[in-house]
Amino acid sequence: MTRPSLTTDLTSKDFKEYYFLKEELKDFCRSNGLKISGSKNDLEKRIIHFLDTGKSLNESKPKPKEVENSSEITLDSKIGENFRCSEDKREFFEQEIGKSFKFKVKFQKWLKSNPDKTYKDAIAAYHEIQNSKEKTQIDRQFQYNQYIRDFFKDNENMTLKDAIKCWNYKKSLKGHNKYEKSDLEILKN
């Protein structure tokens, strides 16, 4: 069975069985008067609710963000609540760590979960994270990235083109989108 189109004829149960691109989710929301902002997970929740009830999900409006204190950042400054990866913070970290600095996901999570720590602590955590051999957990909305990582873990000698062909096949099937050795069958065609 090929992947069904994302329409109001689809049940939420069937919707959950297939992979849809974020742009497809936004198109569905747009054409049905639903909010199109937010993460892929936010869009999926809205669509599931809509398919189940025919109504828009009653979402509370996000609290207005506090205006950030734009004072100078020092090593002893506290990270603070509602940390945002802004240009002034990037410049500070690049100055302290070097031009190779990047706001990678694991470091961003550390910053957001440690508001009472200082920027000096953050720099130490950054180096610890960079030197860690542990792979970063890929969040659910990045199923493609996880699939590609798992594909190459099992097939080091294959190409990205092979991985993408297997991914495109997998996402058209009902069920999960995790890599399986049997996905390689599509390469024989």
Side-chain angles (χ1 to χ4, degrees):
M1 179 179 179
T2 60
R3 184 182 75 142
S5 297
L6 180 51
T7 67
T8 54
D9 296 332
L10 199 62
T11 66
S12 64
K13 184 178 184 242
D14 286 337
F15 170 74
K16 293 178 202 174
E17 291 289 330
Y18 291 95
Y19 179 88
F20 293 94
L21 296 171
K22 185 174 182 181
E23 206 48 50
E24 292 173 291
L25 302 177
K26 288 170 89 174
D27 288 344
F28 178 89
C29 288
R30 195 176 288 118
S31 65
N32 289 285
L34 304 174
K35 281 177 51 177
I36 62 167
S37 62
S39 68
K40 188 172 182 189
N41 288 340
D42 295 334
L43 296 170
E44 288 171 342
K45 286 177 192 171
R46 284 182 203 126
I47 292 170
I48 289 167
H49 181 80
F50 183 79
L51 292 173
D52 286 341
T53 67
K55 297 178 183 174
S56 178
L57 186 60
N58 188 8
E59 299 175 87
S60 60
K61 294 191 179 193
K63 296 174 189 163
K65 293 186 178 176
E66 294 175 21
V67 176
E68 267 185 55
N69 184 355
S70 60
S71 62
E72 183 182 347
I73 302 169
T74 68
L75 289 172
D76 295 323
S77 299
K78 296 273 188 204
I79 294 167
E81 297 289 333
N82 303 319
F83 180 88
R84 289 191 13 237
C85 303
S86 57
E87 200 52 45
D88 62 329
K89 293 179 180 111
R90 178 182 307 285
E91 287 174 13
F92 173 82
F93 284 120
E94 283 181 354
Q95 180 181 341
E96 295 295 324
I97 294 170
K99 289 289 182 191
S100 64
F101 170 78
K102 294 202 180 344
F103 276 122
K104 293 189 176 178
V105 173
K106 205 170 194 179
F107 183 56
Q108 288 180 42
K109 287 181 178 179
W110 186 93
L111 289 164
K112 289 175 193 246
S113 63
N114 289 285
D116 293 330
K117 300 278 186 175
T118 65
Y119 280 82
K120 185 179 198 177
D121 297 326
I123 292 168
Y126 178 84
H127 289 300
E128 190 175 309
I129 291 167
Q130 288 297 102
N131 294 328
S132 170
K133 300 289 184 215
E134 182 183 321
K135 288 269 190 186
T136 303
Q137 176 66 36
I138 298 176
D139 291 339
R140 185 183 171 278
Q141 70 266 31
F142 303 110
Q143 293 174 44
Y144 168 82
N145 299 37
Q146 185 66 57
Y147 185 93
I148 299 299
R149 178 186 280 179
D150 294 344
F151 178 92
F152 281 118
K153 183 178 177 188
D154 198 41
N155 303 287
E156 295 174 1
N157 61 332
M158 294 199 171
T159 67
L160 180 58
K161 186 177 178 181
D162 294 330
I164 292 171
K165 186 172 183 179
C166 288
W167 163 252
N168 286 331
Y169 165 72
K170 185 65 160 203
K171 74 177 185 175
S172 72
L173 300 175
K174 188 174 187 176
H176 69 81
N177 294 308
K178 294 178 174 65
Y179 167 77
E180 296 174 302
K181 194 80 165 165
S182 61
D183 298 345
L184 299 175
E185 287 297 315
I186 195 67
L187 298 176
K188 294 178 182 174
N189 295 339

